[in-house]
């Protein structure tokens, strides 16, 4: 168990809908990262927050947004969902920033499997 | 735990030059990715390459998993290639999934 929790585990919804994925980082970790993993693909980096502030952005669609709250949990909001948004969404956390000594190891949650019908 | 070493730490190129960035890792992994962070902080996936060779335009990558290294080739470099290149490796193993990042290679391409 990595200490990173994600809810829900599974989510099935229809096109055009909006969903919110939740992530609680490991105790003491300030950085939260969101990744999308489609079938047989690597991890697509979406966005990173550090202590409540957005620090790095990847190929995140404008229909997606995220935030990190004062208690350091994070939410990823996906709106106007399309069939192609079906994927595993992972949250990871680390002590510091990616590339910095404290942030080099990211611990992943179990993921949320999103299915858009 | 798995160690990830990237070299060189810094690189300065003249536009049009070619370069090779290296990532060594200390243990078997089943996930290796290269990312590029541009000077504006945007972090983009380049390759998902736990083994083999892939090419995307002027960039290509090779991972030799048995020898625990990966190479990123940049040909005919352009100023827009500037930024930091990160290698990240990990194990996609159940509840212990991790991604371990190298410190990066900082690349500056001069016109």
């Amino acid at each position: 168990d990595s200490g990173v929790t994600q809810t829900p585990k599974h989510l099935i919804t229809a096109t055009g809908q909006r969903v919110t994925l939740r992530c609680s980082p490991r105790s003491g970790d300030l950085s939260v990262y969101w990744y999308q993993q489609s079938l047989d693909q690597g991890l697509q980096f979406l966005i990173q927050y550090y202590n409540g502030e957005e620090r790095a952005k990847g190929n995140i669609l404008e229909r997606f947004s995220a935030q990190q709250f004062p208690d350091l949990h994070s939410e990823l909001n996906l709106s106007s969902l399309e069939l192609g948004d079906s994927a595993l969404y992972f949250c990871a956390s680390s002590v510091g920033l990616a590339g910095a000594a404290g942030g080099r190891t990211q611990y992943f949650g179990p993921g949320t499997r999103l299915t858009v019908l | 735990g798995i160690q990830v070493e990237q070299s060189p730490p810094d690189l300065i190129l003249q536009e049009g030059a070619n370069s090779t960035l290296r990532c060594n890792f200390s243990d078997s992994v089943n996930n290796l990715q290269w990312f590029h962070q541009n000077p504006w902080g945007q972090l983009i996936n380049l390759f998902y390459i736990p083994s083999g060779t892939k090419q995307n335009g002027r960039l290509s990558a090779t991972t030799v998993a048995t020898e625990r290294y990966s190479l990123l080739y940049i040909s005919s470099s352009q100023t827009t290639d500037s930024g930091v290149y990160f290698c990240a490796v990990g194990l996609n193993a159940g509840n212990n999934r991790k991604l371990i990042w190298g410190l990066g290679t900082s690349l500056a391409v001069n016109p």
Side-chain angles (χ1 to χ4, degrees):
Chain A
D1 187 344
S2 68
V4 179
T5 60
Q6 287 186 250
T7 56
K9 203 169 180 179
H10 300 278
L11 199 48
I12 301 175
T13 187
T15 55
Q17 295 298 304
R18 173 190 166 96
V19 297
T20 297
L21 313 183
R22 184 188 168 100
C23 167
S24 292
R26 293 187 325 153
S27 177
D29 284 358
L30 298 178
S31 270
V32 169
Y33 310 79
W34 285 98
Y35 294 86
Q36 180 193 57
Q37 184 171 27
S38 303
L39 196 62
D40 295 331
Q41 302 271 327
L43 293 163
Q44 182 86 0
F45 172 74
L46 296 178
I47 197 163
Q48 179 207 354
Y49 280 83
Y50 178 77
N51 204 19
E53 291 188 9
E54 182 186 302
R55 292 304 297 259
K57 228 169 181 175
N59 281 325
I60 187 166
L61 299 172
E62 284 191 14
R63 300 183 285 107
F64 295 1
S65 65
Q67 54 184 327
Q68 187 178 28
F69 294 86
D71 66 353
L72 300 177
H73 90 270
S74 178
E75 291 181 355
L76 179 67
N77 300 298
L78 315 176
S79 61
S80 303
L81 285 167
E82 302 174 0
L83 295 177
D85 298 328
S86 296
L88 267 169
Y89 290 85
F90 286 102
C91 164
S93 74
S94 66
V95 171
L97 299 170
R104 294 181 70 178
T105 299
Q106 299 177 10
Y107 297 86
F108 281 68
T112 293
R113 182 173 292 282
L114 174 66
T115 303
V116 182
L117 301 175
Chain B
I2 300 174
Q3 304 296 316
V4 181
E5 302 291 335
Q6 289 188 244
S7 60
D10 299 282
L11 190 55
I12 300 174
L13 297 176
Q14 208 61 34
E15 204 167 21
N18 302 329
S19 63
T20 301
L21 281 55
R22 188 176 179 104
C23 173
N24 292 335
F25 46 96
S26 61
D27 208 341
S28 298
V29 298
N30 57 18
N31 180 13
L32 188 146
Q33 298 188 225
W34 284 96
F35 296 86
H36 173 222
Q37 186 164 38
N38 66 24
W40 297 272
Q42 195 180 21
L43 188 64
I44 303 296
N45 288 61
L46 295 177
F47 294 103
Y48 167 62
I49 186 163
S51 64
T53 297
K54 288 187 180 177
Q55 177 146 13
N56 184 2
R58 295 182 296 103
L59 302 182
S60 64
T62 295
T63 297
V64 183
T66 52
E67 296 185 24
R68 298 181 186 164
Y69 72 88
S70 183
L71 302 174
L72 178 68
Y73 305 97
I74 305 174
S75 64
S76 304
S77 58
Q78 300 176 359
T79 55
T80 51
D81 296 330
S82 297
V84 183
Y85 290 81
F86 291 103
C87 167
V89 305
L91 289 170
N92 296 337
N95 290 333
N96 291 317
R97 181 187 295 253
K98 282 190 224 179
L99 196 63
I100 297 140
W101 292 59
L103 286 175
T105 291
S106 181
L107 173 65
V109 180
N110 294 325

